[in-house]
Amino acid sequence: MSQSIIDAVATSHDISQEQLSVLLHTDDMMLVQTLFAMARQATQRSYGNKVFMRGLIEISNHCRNNCLYCGIRRDQSGLQRYRLTKEQILQCCAAGHQLGFRTFVLQGGEDAWFDDDRLCDIVSDVHAHFPDCAITLSLGERGRSSFQRLFDAGAERYLLRHETASPMHYAQLHPAEMSFDNRMRCLDDLKAIGYQVGCGFMVGSPYQTDASLWADLQFLRRFQPQMVGIGPFIPASGTPFADRPAGSVDLTLRLLSIIRLILPSVLLPATTALGTLSPNGREMGIMAGANVVMPNLSPQGFRAQYSIYDNKLASGSEAAECANDIRSRLNGLDRDASPDRGDFRP
Ligand code: SAM
């Protein structure tokens, strides 16, 4: 009966709320292992043994937003704020290129200093210096013309987690000045412009329910993103949610597999948050159907300041300079770290 649920999800690329509930809560570990195995097979059919490596460059921890969960929110005190210069960003890219990275992800808080002129200048310089690389941006909400200018300057991909597909849940995670509709507008604009778009959510965020998770999966089905980033919520000291429990690694792995079955060719990272909560989190993510890793390429002196949650990993297999270690750990899972840009394959 339960095995038939997995077959039904894999065939229909859809899931009912009841089916989701069974897959999230079953304590039949054979069934969970079957879910992981089916997800791995789906990944294999779409991308073979390849796992794509992205170099993550955290360009600024200044943020005008006050998301209740985030350790770099505007009201976070005691945090040394930084922003990288264009030269520092280009140096990170050069180091990453040397290490074999062919995608750079420029991520940061919503920092007004990075206006369109400055960002377009950076993007076009990265593009000119590293024409064989893809540029991904993850810089929060912007206007459509800004997204268009950045696209024209050479950015091809944009990561903007939708955070939750339930407007009510969104309002519980964000201050009143932030708008669910604007987040959705941004995602629609990015898609319409032609970006490869990533959305996603935290697993186990405060007030999340099975119903809101199901809404997230239905949103993914409708939106058909090229990338989906999910990772466990991890409390950040000094934030309103500092005392909330962290999300579950097990639930995150099950959701990774379910997303893989719903969107077989999506690019699905095994996120840093997963690696932070469990020493083998990243490997377990790959074994649940993930096919992307995003090691940290930021200058080492700044990594601790990009503290979106407590104890965030930025060393070992989370550190780009350990690319060879990452490759051998992937080989141990019978996966190959791909030297490709790793574009979405519909
Ligand atoms: N400002 C950009 C944005 O809003 O997309 C990018 C940076 S933001 C810090 C990147 C992601 O970090 C968010 O989309 C959120 O899901 C995740 N994040 C923030 N705080 C977190 C926490 N406490 N635990 C886990 N993930 C968190």
Side-chain angles (χ1 to χ4, degrees):
M1 152 70 188
S2 302
Q3 160 79 49
S4 67
I5 293 181
I6 305 178
D7 291 335
V9 175
T11 313
S12 65
H13 308 303
D14 194 5
I15 192 164
S16 69
Q17 209 167 329
E18 296 67 35
Q19 289 169 328
L20 177 64
S21 194
V22 172
L23 294 183
L24 292 184
H25 302 296
T26 181
D27 50 16
D28 176 350
M29 291 323 280
M30 291 287 284
L31 184 67
V32 175
Q33 288 306 323
T34 305
L35 173 66
F36 294 162
M38 297 265 298
R40 281 199 299 278
Q41 286 161 19
T43 314
Q44 193 92 17
R45 279 193 294 276
S46 299
Y47 293 98
N49 279 348
K50 288 182 177 179
V51 171
F52 303 111
M53 303 219 294
R54 323 295 200 195
L56 180 64
I57 306 172
E58 294 158 337
I59 68 169
S60 170
N61 70 352
H62 290 262
C63 193
R64 69 186 169 97
N65 287 333
N66 230 355
C67 308
L68 303 186
Y69 45 83
C70 185
I72 62 167
R73 66 200 295 268
R74 183 180 68 227
D75 284 355
Q76 186 76 334
S77 57
L79 177 64
Q80 213 178 336
R81 303 279 176 174
Y82 75 91
R83 59 174 66 93
L84 302 185
T85 62
K86 180 171 81 172
E87 289 64 38
Q88 286 171 317
I89 294 170
L90 285 167
Q91 278 164 16
C92 293
C93 295
H97 198 264
Q98 189 84 33
L99 289 164
F101 289 86
R102 293 297 175 266
T103 293
F104 303 122
V105 182
L106 274 47
Q107 186 175 83
E110 291 194 19
D111 179 356
W113 190 88
F114 283 109
D115 60 14
D116 292 348
D117 287 345
R118 288 191 173 113
L119 266 182
C120 286
D121 179 48
I122 292 169
V123 169
S124 53
D125 268 17
V126 172
H127 190 52
H129 283 83
F130 307 98
D132 56 338
C133 296
I135 302 172
T136 304
L137 299 179
S138 177
L139 299 168
E141 299 172 24
R142 304 180 77 88
R144 177 162 180 156
S145 60
S146 172
F147 289 143
Q148 183 69 58
R149 281 190 63 188
L150 292 164
F151 185 78
D152 295 341
E156 295 172 65
R157 307 176 185 159
Y158 205 102
L159 306 178
L160 184 75
R161 288 183 175 186
H162 64 285
E163 309 297 0
T164 171
S166 151
M168 195 181 81
H169 187 209
Y170 188 91
Q172 291 168 319
L173 296 178
H174 300 95
E177 78 234 21
M178 291 182 70
S179 140
F180 174 82
D181 290 344
N182 194 50
R183 196 105 186 147
M184 291 293 164
R185 189 272 308 158
C186 288
L187 286 166
D188 288 338
D189 283 349
L190 290 162
K191 200 138 196 236
I193 289 167
Y195 281 94
Q196 294 180 43
V197 184
C199 52
F201 54 90
M202 295 177 286
V203 177
S205 61
Y207 308 107
Q208 189 172 64
T209 60
D210 283 7
S212 70
L213 282 172
W214 183 71
D216 287 321
L217 298 178
Q218 292 305 310
F219 169 72
L220 296 183
R221 277 191 72 233
R222 272 197 314 279
F223 187 69
Q224 294 286 317
Q226 284 81 22
M227 303 166 274
V228 175
I230 67 163
F233 160 75
I234 303 178
S237 306
T239 65
F241 293 155
D243 297 327
R244 301 295 183 129
S248 141
V249 169
D250 174 46
L251 214 57
T252 306
L253 296 173
R254 294 181 193 206
L255 280 160
L256 280 171
S257 292
I258 294 167
I259 291 169
R260 170 61 67 204
L261 296 181
I262 293 176
L263 298 172
S265 48
V266 81
L267 292 157
L268 198 57
T271 51
T272 305
L274 204 48
T276 296
L277 282 191
S278 167
N280 291 324
R282 194 159 250 183
E283 281 88 345
M284 291 193 289
I286 301 288
M287 296 319 274
N291 66 331
V292 173
V293 292
M294 294 172 60
N296 201 316
L297 251 188
S298 308
Q300 297 203 30
F302 292 108
R303 288 184 194 172
Q305 282 153 254
Y306 198 81
S307 48
I308 56 177
Y309 47 78
D310 292 348
N311 305 315
K312 180 168 152 278
L313 270 196
S315 58
S317 61
E318 294 296 328
E321 61 276 11
C322 301
N324 284 336
D325 173 49
I326 300 169
R327 287 190 185 94
S328 64
R329 287 173 78 155
L330 289 173
N331 287 341
L333 302 175
D334 200 23
R335 295 291 182 284
D336 299 316
S338 168
D340 306 353
R341 288 162 32 111
D343 284 297
F344 175 72
R345 288 194 209 143

